[in-house]
Amino acid sequence: MNNVPVGIVGIGVYLPDNYMTAKEISEATGGTWSEDAVINKLGIRQKRIPSDKPCDGTQEMGALAALDCLKNTGIDPMEIDAILCFGEEWKEYPLTTSACYIQDRIGARRAWGIDVQNRCCTTVSAMKLAKDILLADDECNTILVAGGYRNCDFIDFTDSGVSFMFNLGAGGGALILRKGYEKNQLLGTHIMTDGSVVHTCGSKVGGIVEPVTAENVSEFGMLRLMDSPKMKGMLNSTSMPNWYHCIDEALRKSGMTRKDIGYLDILHIKRSGHKAMLADLGLTEDQTIYLEDYGHIGQVDQILSLKLALEQGKVKDGTVISMIAAGIGYTWAANVIKWG
Protein backbone atom coordinates (compact mmCIF):
# COMPACT_ATOMS: atom_id res chain seq x y z
CA MET A 1 0.00 0.00 0.00
CA ASN A 2 2.93 2.38 0.66
CA ASN A 3 3.65 2.37 -3.06
CA VAL A 4 0.23 3.84 -3.79
CA PRO A 5 0.63 7.55 -4.64
CA VAL A 6 -1.15 10.29 -2.73
CA GLY A 7 -1.45 13.54 -4.65
CA ILE A 8 -2.77 17.06 -4.21
CA VAL A 9 -5.80 17.45 -6.44
CA GLY A 10 -6.03 21.19 -5.87
CA ILE A 11 -5.87 24.09 -3.44
CA GLY A 12 -8.05 26.98 -2.30
CA VAL A 13 -7.42 30.24 -0.47
CA TYR A 14 -9.51 32.93 1.19
CA LEU A 15 -8.03 36.30 2.14
CA PRO A 16 -9.83 39.19 3.88
CA ASP A 17 -10.01 42.48 2.02
CA ASN A 18 -8.48 44.49 4.87
CA TYR A 19 -4.79 45.41 5.07
CA MET A 20 -2.52 46.77 7.77
CA THR A 21 0.50 48.58 6.32
CA ALA A 22 4.03 48.87 7.65
CA LYS A 23 3.32 52.50 8.45
CA GLU A 24 0.24 51.54 10.48
CA ILE A 25 2.22 48.88 12.35
CA SER A 26 4.89 51.46 13.14
CA GLU A 27 2.27 53.87 14.42
CA ALA A 28 0.71 51.09 16.53
CA THR A 29 4.06 50.56 18.26
CA GLY A 30 4.14 54.24 19.18
CA GLY A 31 7.16 54.72 16.96
CA THR A 32 9.25 52.10 18.79
CA TRP A 33 9.52 50.35 15.45
CA SER A 34 10.05 52.64 12.48
CA GLU A 35 8.28 52.01 9.20
CA ASP A 36 11.67 51.20 7.64
CA ALA A 37 12.43 48.62 10.35
CA VAL A 38 9.02 47.01 9.94
CA ILE A 39 9.66 46.65 6.21
CA ASN A 40 13.33 45.73 6.16
CA LYS A 41 13.83 43.87 9.44
CA LEU A 42 10.46 42.29 10.15
CA GLY A 43 9.78 41.96 6.43
CA ILE A 44 6.25 43.36 6.34
CA ARG A 45 5.13 45.85 3.71
CA GLN A 46 1.52 45.05 4.53
CA LYS A 47 -0.47 42.16 5.93
CA ARG A 48 -4.01 40.88 5.61
CA ILE A 49 -6.19 41.46 8.68
CA PRO A 50 -9.82 40.52 9.34
CA SER A 51 -12.81 42.83 9.18
CA ASP A 52 -15.70 42.58 11.61
CA LYS A 53 -17.76 40.76 8.97
CA PRO A 54 -18.92 37.19 9.75
CA CYS A 55 -17.05 35.98 6.66
CA ASP A 56 -13.75 36.71 8.42
CA GLY A 57 -14.35 34.34 11.32
CA THR A 58 -11.83 31.53 11.65
CA GLN A 59 -14.24 28.71 10.83
CA GLU A 60 -15.90 30.60 7.99
CA MET A 61 -12.58 31.53 6.38
CA GLY A 62 -11.68 27.84 6.40
CA ALA A 63 -15.02 27.02 4.80
CA LEU A 64 -14.60 29.72 2.14
CA ALA A 65 -11.13 28.39 1.29
CA ALA A 66 -12.61 24.88 1.06
CA LEU A 67 -15.35 26.13 -1.28
CA ASP A 68 -12.66 27.80 -3.40
CA CYS A 69 -10.77 24.51 -3.51
CA LEU A 70 -13.88 22.61 -4.62
CA LYS A 71 -14.52 25.20 -7.30
CA ASN A 72 -10.92 24.97 -8.55
CA THR A 73 -10.91 21.17 -8.66
CA GLY A 74 -14.46 20.46 -9.75
CA ILE A 75 -14.74 17.83 -7.03
CA ASP A 76 -18.19 17.04 -5.67
CA PRO A 77 -18.18 17.58 -1.88
CA MET A 78 -19.90 14.20 -1.55
CA GLU A 79 -16.64 12.62 -2.76
CA ILE A 80 -14.83 13.80 0.39
CA ASP A 81 -14.37 11.00 2.91
CA ALA A 82 -12.75 13.00 5.73
CA ILE A 83 -11.94 16.57 6.75
CA LEU A 84 -8.87 17.44 8.78
CA CYS A 85 -9.24 21.02 9.99
CA PHE A 86 -6.08 22.94 10.88
CA GLY A 87 -7.98 26.07 11.96
CA GLU A 88 -6.84 27.87 15.09
CA GLU A 89 -8.49 27.61 18.52
CA TRP A 90 -9.49 31.29 18.31
CA LYS A 91 -12.76 31.02 16.42
CA GLU A 92 -16.40 32.05 16.33
CA TYR A 93 -17.42 30.00 19.38
CA PRO A 94 -15.01 28.24 21.78
CA LEU A 95 -15.21 24.46 22.11
CA THR A 96 -16.99 23.98 18.78
CA THR A 97 -15.49 21.69 16.14
CA SER A 98 -14.34 23.54 13.06
CA ALA A 99 -14.13 20.45 10.85
CA CYS A 100 -17.83 19.82 11.49
CA TYR A 101 -18.60 23.45 10.61
CA ILE A 102 -16.73 23.11 7.31
CA GLN A 103 -18.39 19.76 6.58
CA ASP A 104 -21.86 21.29 6.88
CA ARG A 105 -20.91 24.53 5.14
CA ILE A 106 -19.62 22.81 1.99
CA GLY A 107 -22.15 19.98 1.93
CA ALA A 108 -19.69 17.13 2.51
CA ARG A 109 -22.33 15.01 4.22
CA ARG A 110 -20.50 11.71 3.75
CA ALA A 111 -17.33 12.94 5.44
CA TRP A 112 -16.23 12.61 9.02
CA GLY A 113 -14.23 15.46 10.49
CA ILE A 114 -11.66 16.17 13.17
CA ASP A 115 -9.73 19.22 14.33
CA VAL A 116 -5.94 18.88 14.53
CA GLN A 117 -3.66 21.47 16.06
CA ASN A 118 0.08 21.99 15.95
CA ARG A 119 0.15 25.78 15.78
CA CYS A 120 1.75 27.07 12.58
CA CYS A 121 2.96 23.55 11.72
CA THR A 122 -0.55 22.19 11.45
CA THR A 123 -0.92 22.18 7.66
CA VAL A 124 2.25 20.14 7.17
CA SER A 125 1.31 17.88 10.09
CA ALA A 126 -2.26 17.44 8.82
CA MET A 127 -0.99 16.56 5.35
CA LYS A 128 1.09 13.75 6.84
CA LEU A 129 -1.89 12.55 8.87
CA ALA A 130 -4.08 12.66 5.77
CA LYS A 131 -1.63 10.64 3.71
CA ASP A 132 -1.20 8.08 6.48
CA ILE A 133 -4.98 7.73 6.84
CA LEU A 134 -5.46 7.34 3.10
CA LEU A 135 -2.83 4.60 2.93
CA ALA A 136 -4.15 2.81 6.02
CA ASP A 137 -7.89 2.95 5.33
CA ASP A 138 -9.12 1.03 2.29
CA GLU A 139 -12.42 2.92 2.36
CA CYS A 140 -10.93 6.42 2.56
CA ASN A 141 -9.90 7.89 -0.79
CA THR A 142 -10.25 11.68 -0.58
CA ILE A 143 -9.38 14.00 2.31
CA LEU A 144 -9.90 17.75 2.61
CA VAL A 145 -7.33 19.63 4.72
CA ALA A 146 -8.61 23.11 5.51
CA GLY A 147 -8.81 25.85 8.10
CA GLY A 148 -8.73 29.51 9.02
CA TYR A 149 -6.46 31.75 11.08
CA ARG A 150 -6.67 35.19 12.72
CA ASN A 151 -4.39 35.17 15.78
CA CYS A 152 -3.45 38.71 14.80
CA ASP A 153 -6.32 39.70 17.11
CA PHE A 154 -4.08 38.91 20.10
CA ILE A 155 -1.05 41.06 19.28
CA ASP A 156 -0.14 44.06 21.44
CA PHE A 157 2.05 46.26 19.26
CA THR A 158 3.33 48.13 22.32
CA ASP A 159 4.96 44.91 23.55
CA SER A 160 8.29 44.58 21.73
CA GLY A 161 8.75 41.17 23.31
CA VAL A 162 6.35 39.78 20.74
CA SER A 163 7.69 41.77 17.78
CA PHE A 164 8.42 38.48 16.00
CA MET A 165 4.63 38.04 15.89
CA PHE A 166 3.82 41.53 14.59
CA ASN A 167 3.50 39.81 11.19
CA LEU A 168 0.45 37.73 12.19
CA GLY A 169 -2.41 38.13 9.74
CA ALA A 170 -5.66 36.43 8.74
CA GLY A 171 -6.97 34.10 6.06
CA GLY A 172 -8.01 30.58 5.16
CA GLY A 173 -6.52 27.76 3.13
CA ALA A 174 -7.53 24.34 1.83
CA LEU A 175 -6.18 21.46 -0.20
CA ILE A 176 -7.54 18.09 -1.26
CA LEU A 177 -5.45 14.92 -1.13
CA ARG A 178 -6.51 11.81 -3.04
CA LYS A 179 -5.23 8.23 -2.93
CA GLY A 180 -4.11 6.90 -6.30
CA TYR A 181 -3.71 10.41 -7.71
CA GLU A 182 -0.38 10.36 -9.55
CA LYS A 183 0.03 14.10 -9.99
CA ASN A 184 1.41 16.54 -7.41
CA GLN A 185 2.54 13.72 -5.16
CA LEU A 186 3.11 14.20 -1.44
CA LEU A 187 6.30 12.28 -0.68
CA GLY A 188 8.29 12.28 2.57
CA THR A 189 7.55 14.28 5.73
CA HIS A 190 9.60 14.84 8.87
CA ILE A 191 8.44 16.53 12.08
CA MET A 192 10.35 17.44 15.26
CA THR A 193 9.11 18.79 18.59
CA ASP A 194 10.73 20.26 21.70
CA GLY A 195 8.32 20.56 24.60
CA SER A 196 10.88 22.13 26.93
CA VAL A 197 9.62 25.56 25.90
CA VAL A 198 5.92 24.78 25.60
CA HIS A 199 4.88 27.37 28.23
CA THR A 200 7.34 30.10 27.27
CA CYS A 201 5.01 31.77 24.76
CA GLY A 202 1.25 31.81 24.49
CA SER A 203 -1.89 33.29 26.01
CA LYS A 204 -1.23 33.54 29.75
CA VAL A 205 -4.76 34.58 30.76
CA GLY A 206 -7.87 32.59 29.90
CA GLY A 207 -6.93 29.04 30.79
CA ILE A 208 -7.14 26.93 33.93
CA VAL A 209 -4.03 28.39 35.59
CA GLU A 210 -5.16 32.01 35.23
CA PRO A 211 -8.90 32.14 34.51
CA VAL A 212 -10.44 35.36 33.26
CA THR A 213 -11.43 37.78 36.04
CA ALA A 214 -12.66 41.35 36.13
CA GLU A 215 -9.12 42.43 36.93
CA ASN A 216 -7.30 40.63 34.11
CA VAL A 217 -9.93 40.56 31.37
CA SER A 218 -7.93 43.02 29.26
CA GLU A 219 -5.18 40.38 29.04
CA PHE A 220 -7.50 37.59 27.91
CA GLY A 221 -5.98 35.76 24.97
CA MET A 222 -3.12 38.21 24.43
CA LEU A 223 -0.01 36.52 23.08
CA ARG A 224 2.94 37.10 25.41
CA LEU A 225 6.41 35.77 26.07
CA MET A 226 6.16 34.13 29.48
CA ASP A 227 9.84 33.11 29.62
CA SER A 228 11.69 35.14 27.02
CA PRO A 229 15.30 34.10 27.90
CA LYS A 230 14.46 30.39 27.80
CA MET A 231 12.58 30.56 24.54
CA LYS A 232 14.96 32.84 22.70
CA GLY A 233 17.96 30.91 24.01
CA MET A 234 16.61 27.64 22.66
CA LEU A 235 15.55 29.11 19.34
CA ASN A 236 18.85 30.89 18.75
CA SER A 237 20.82 27.69 19.26
CA THR A 238 18.58 24.97 17.81
CA SER A 239 15.82 26.34 15.59
CA MET A 240 17.66 26.53 12.27
CA PRO A 241 19.52 23.21 12.77
CA ASN A 242 16.23 21.50 13.58
CA TRP A 243 14.60 23.01 10.51
CA TYR A 244 17.43 21.85 8.26
CA HIS A 245 17.23 18.39 9.83
CA CYS A 246 13.54 18.21 8.94
CA ILE A 247 14.23 19.36 5.39
CA ASP A 248 17.04 16.85 4.90
CA GLU A 249 15.09 13.97 6.44
CA ALA A 250 11.99 14.70 4.36
CA LEU A 251 14.22 14.73 1.28
CA ARG A 252 15.92 11.48 2.34
CA LYS A 253 12.55 9.78 2.79
CA SER A 254 11.71 10.97 -0.73
CA GLY A 255 14.94 9.66 -2.23
CA MET A 256 16.22 13.19 -2.85
CA THR A 257 18.78 15.75 -1.67
CA ARG A 258 18.89 19.54 -1.36
CA LYS A 259 20.05 19.76 -4.98
CA ASP A 260 16.62 18.53 -6.06
CA ILE A 261 14.70 21.43 -4.44
CA GLY A 262 13.11 23.65 -7.05
CA TYR A 263 10.86 25.74 -4.80
CA LEU A 264 11.01 26.58 -1.10
CA ASP A 265 7.46 26.86 0.25
CA ILE A 266 8.21 28.71 3.47
CA LEU A 267 6.11 30.54 6.02
CA HIS A 268 6.75 34.23 6.61
CA ILE A 269 9.74 34.88 8.89
CA LYS A 270 11.97 37.92 9.34
CA ARG A 271 13.75 39.00 6.18
CA SER A 272 17.29 38.10 7.28
CA GLY A 273 16.25 34.59 8.30
CA HIS A 274 14.53 34.04 4.98
CA LYS A 275 17.60 35.13 3.01
CA ALA A 276 19.92 33.04 5.19
CA MET A 277 17.86 29.91 4.57
CA LEU A 278 17.92 30.46 0.81
CA ALA A 279 21.70 30.84 0.92
CA ASP A 280 22.18 27.74 3.07
CA LEU A 281 20.00 25.66 0.75
CA GLY A 282 21.67 27.02 -2.39
CA LEU A 283 18.46 28.59 -3.67
CA THR A 284 17.70 31.94 -5.27
CA GLU A 285 14.86 34.39 -4.66
CA ASP A 286 13.30 33.14 -7.89
CA GLN A 287 12.81 29.78 -6.16
CA THR A 288 10.59 31.06 -3.37
CA ILE A 289 8.07 33.76 -2.53
CA TYR A 290 8.54 36.11 0.41
CA LEU A 291 5.12 36.86 1.87
CA GLU A 292 5.91 40.49 2.67
CA ASP A 293 2.56 41.66 1.25
CA TYR A 294 0.50 39.13 3.22
CA GLY A 295 2.21 38.66 6.59
CA HIS A 296 2.25 35.39 8.48
CA ILE A 297 -1.18 33.75 8.26
CA GLY A 298 -0.13 30.89 10.51
CA GLN A 299 -0.58 27.49 8.94
CA VAL A 300 -2.21 29.03 5.85
CA ASP A 301 1.18 30.31 4.64
CA GLN A 302 2.20 27.07 2.93
CA ILE A 303 -1.00 26.89 0.87
CA LEU A 304 -0.87 30.59 0.00
CA SER A 305 2.77 30.32 -1.07
CA LEU A 306 1.98 27.35 -3.31
CA LYS A 307 -0.96 29.19 -4.87
CA LEU A 308 1.17 32.26 -5.63
CA ALA A 309 4.01 30.10 -6.98
CA LEU A 310 1.67 28.35 -9.40
CA GLU A 311 0.26 31.69 -10.56
CA GLN A 312 3.75 33.14 -11.04
CA GLY A 313 5.13 30.07 -12.80
CA LYS A 314 7.65 29.30 -10.08
CA VAL A 315 6.12 25.86 -9.65
CA LYS A 316 5.45 23.85 -12.80
CA ASP A 317 5.46 20.21 -13.92
CA GLY A 318 8.47 18.46 -12.39
CA THR A 319 9.19 21.06 -9.69
CA VAL A 320 10.26 19.56 -6.36
CA ILE A 321 8.76 21.58 -3.50
CA SER A 322 10.21 21.72 -0.01
CA MET A 323 7.30 22.82 2.18
CA ILE A 324 8.42 23.90 5.65
CA ALA A 325 6.80 25.20 8.82
CA ALA A 326 7.49 25.89 12.48
CA GLY A 327 5.12 26.44 15.37
CA ILE A 328 5.19 27.71 18.93
CA GLY A 329 5.38 24.78 21.26
CA TYR A 330 7.90 24.14 19.71
CA THR A 331 7.59 22.24 16.43
CA TRP A 332 9.45 22.10 13.13
CA ALA A 333 8.27 20.29 10.01
CA ALA A 334 9.02 19.76 6.34
CA ASN A 335 7.59 17.72 3.53
CA VAL A 336 8.41 17.12 -0.12
CA ILE A 337 5.95 17.48 -2.99
CA LYS A 338 6.75 16.64 -6.60
CA TRP A 339 4.46 18.77 -8.72
CA GLY A 340 2.92 17.71 -12.00
Side-chain angles (χ1 to χ4, degrees):
M1 180 64 76
N2 287 335
N3 293 325
V4 175
V6 172
I8 299 172
V9 182
I11 60 176
V13 170
Y14 170 80
L15 296 172
D17 294 330
N18 287 9
Y19 288 92
M20 187 176 192
T21 65
K23 181 180 180 182
E24 289 170 330
I25 293 172
S26 172
E27 291 171 348
T29 71
T32 301
W33 282 79
S34 68
E35 181 180 359
D36 182 73
V38 172
I39 294 172
N40 293 306
K41 187 172 182 179
L42 298 181
I44 314 164
R45 295 199 302 195
Q46 60 185 13
K47 65 175 186 173
R48 294 294 181 108
I49 59 172
S51 68
D52 57 2
K53 298 176 182 177
C55 61
D56 290 345
T58 303
Q59 293 175 332
E60 179 64 7
M61 288 191 292
L64 290 170
L67 289 168
D68 183 54
C69 186
L70 292 172
K71 178 183 176 182
N72 295 336
T73 59
I75 285 182
D76 185 330
M78 293 296 285
E79 296 178 47
I80 297 171
D81 297 301
I83 299 170
L84 302 187
C85 180
F86 60 69
E88 265 297 344
E89 295 174 12
W90 173 235
K91 50 197 171 186
E92 285 85 335
Y93 298 99
L95 303 181
T96 60
T97 306
S98 299
C100 295
Y101 178 91
I102 293 173
Q103 178 212 21
D104 179 68
R105 185 72 172 78
I106 68 174
R109 292 185 296 279
R110 285 186 54 257
W112 58 269
I114 187 171
D115 291 2
V116 295
Q117 191 44 249
N118 207 12
R119 302 282 77 82
C120 299
C121 262
T122 316
T123 292
V124 177
S125 300
M127 290 172 71
K128 173 175 169 53
L129 290 174
K131 180 179 178 179
D132 291 348
I133 292 168
L134 288 167
L135 294 179
D137 188 341
D138 291 339
E139 296 185 357
C140 190
N141 296 297
T142 304
I143 293 182
L144 169 69
V145 175
Y149 182 98
R150 52 176 290 170
N151 286 1
C152 54
D153 293 341
F154 293 132
I155 294 301
D156 176 4
F157 290 102
T158 66
D159 179 5
S160 288
V162 296
S163 59
F164 69 102
M165 292 190 281
F166 285 177
N167 60 350
L168 296 190
L175 56 85
I176 292 175
L177 290 165
R178 176 165 278 178
K179 180 164 58 189
Y181 193 72
E182 297 185 351
K183 299 179 181 179
N184 316 327
Q185 289 186 37
L186 173 60
L187 302 176
T189 299
H190 195 77
I191 302 171
M192 294 179 66
T193 60
D194 184 343
S196 67
V197 292
V198 67
H199 286 159
T200 59
C201 180
S203 298
K204 189 174 182 181
V205 172
I208 295 170
V209 175
E210 292 195 35
V212 179
T213 66
E215 289 71 30
N216 67 15
V217 66
S218 63
E219 272 294 302
F220 170 68
M222 299 304 292
L223 287 166
R224 302 289 186 190
L225 284 185
M226 295 178 276
D227 190 338
S228 179
K230 184 176 182 180
M231 178 178 168
K232 290 185 176 180
M234 186 278 290
L235 291 181
N236 289 337
S237 62
T238 67
S239 188
M240 279 300 190
N242 286 355
W243 232 344
Y244 290 137
H245 180 70
C246 288
I247 292 170
D248 291 334
E249 282 297 288
L251 287 165
R252 179 188 64 79
K253 294 174 184 179
S254 307
M256 299 179 182
T257 68
R258 293 184 183 185
K259 292 182 180 179
D260 294 301
I261 300 174
Y263 181 77
L264 182 65
D265 185 330
I266 179 174
L267 73 168
H268 184 276
I269 59 176
K270 65 180 181 179
R271 196 178 295 275
S272 61
H274 181 88
K275 290 183 176 180
M277 182 166 282
L278 288 178
D280 288 343
L281 295 175
L283 301 172
T284 69
E285 293 187 9
D286 289 333
Q287 293 174 289
T288 191
I289 290 175
Y290 191 54
L291 299 173
E292 61 188 351
D293 290 318
Y294 300 89
H296 175 36
I297 312 176
Q299 44 271 41
V300 177
D301 280 10
Q302 288 75 25
I303 299 172
L304 173 60
S305 178
L306 179 55
K307 176 181 184 290
L308 296 172
L310 288 166
E311 290 174 350
Q312 295 177 24
K314 293 188 175 186
V315 167
K316 54 193 71 174
D317 284 357
T319 300
V320 172
I321 301 163
S322 177
M323 179 181 282
I324 68 173
I328 297 296
Y330 210 92
T331 310
W332 301 264
N335 68 30
V336 174
I337 301 162
K338 186 170 184 180
W339 202 259

